[in-house]
Amino acid sequence: MRLTSARLHPFGRFQDASWDLSAPVAVVAGPNETGKSTLRQAIMHALFTPSNLTPARLRDSLARWFPLPGGDHATVTLTFL
C-alpha cells in the first residue's frame, strides 16, 4: 500500500489544499512557513491519532491544527493505492 495523495480541508493554515504523491519518489520542498511540517503532521495524525479520544484529549492533541479563528475541526483525506 502506497500513499498517493493527501488533502487538507481544513487543517492548520490550509483551507483546502491537495498534494499528488503518486510519483515513485515524492519530494516536498519549499521555503520556511509554506506548510511542509503541517503536511507531515496531517499525515501523522490521520494515521496514528486514535479515533476514540474524549473531546478534551482530542483538543489537547489537535487544537493547534484547527483552522483559525475559532475552528473546531480539522479534516485530512489520504488516498492509498
Side-chain angles (χ1 to χ4, degrees), residues 3-8 21 39 42-44 46-47 76-80:
L3 180 62
T4 58
S5 69
R7 180 177 174 212
L8 284 53
L21 305 169
L39 174 61
I43 293 169
M44 191 273 305
L47 293 174
V76 177
T77 302
L78 302 178
T79 306
F80 294 89

Side-chain angles (χ1 to χ4, degrees), residues 17-79:
S18 297
W19 289 266
D20 178 9
L21 305 169
S22 61
V25 175
V27 176
V28 178
N32 291 342
E33 299 299 321
T34 57
K36 301 177 302 289
S37 296
T38 301
L39 174 61
R40 182 188 63 81
Q41 284 291 329
I43 293 169
M44 191 273 305
H45 280 295
L47 293 174
F48 300 112
T49 298
S51 61
N52 62 347
L53 295 176
T54 64
R57 295 203 63 184
L58 180 64
R59 273 192 310 278
D60 290 345
S61 177
L62 287 171
R64 73 178 292 215
W65 303 111
F66 293 164
L68 296 174
D72 63 354
H73 71 285
T75 306
V76 177
T77 302
L78 302 178
T79 306

